[in-house]
Amino acid sequence: MRHRSLYVAAAVALGFVAGAALAQRSMGKWRTALFSARPLRRLAALGYLSGHPGVEAVRVLRDYLAWEEHPALRRRAEAIVRRMEAQLS
């Protein structure tokens, strides 16, 4: 019984690590897709940029805000810009 619990715990930990690695790979893959035709790719690119604040990121996001038509993605980008500007000030 004890070995079974150990195997289950190891499987859960392995699943968590594999899921995190897959998510990071996906985010990295779409980090340059901010102006993609696909909304999910744009969302992934926003997620990547939100973790990499900087003056250049704010500039790119301002261009993106002028271009983006999807309301939810615009709100997300606006929130990221506000947060970055507050951090950089």
Side-chain angles (χ1 to χ4, degrees):
M1 189 69 169
R2 207 159 228 214
H3 293 291
R4 179 182 249 170
S5 297
L6 184 61
Y7 291 138
V8 169
V12 168
L14 183 62
F16 179 75
V17 169
L22 185 62
Q24 282 296 93
R25 181 175 174 229
S26 176
M27 292 297 286
K29 184 177 179 183
W30 303 121
R31 70 178 176 255
T32 59
L34 191 59
F35 294 94
S36 170
R38 295 184 169 180
L40 194 56
R41 288 183 183 179
R42 296 194 307 264
L43 181 62
L46 286 173
Y48 175 82
L49 283 174
S50 71
H52 297 82
V55 174
E56 187 60 31
V58 172
R59 287 182 188 143
V60 169
L61 286 170
R62 290 205 176 278
D63 290 341
Y64 172 76
L65 283 169
W67 175 82
E68 180 60 66
E69 295 177 356
H70 194 279
L73 292 175
R74 282 186 58 79
R75 284 192 301 271
R76 174 78 172 128
E78 288 168 349
I80 293 169
V81 168
R82 280 194 303 272
R83 191 186 79 230
M84 283 186 185
E85 288 175 341
Q87 286 177 348
L88 296 172
S89 296

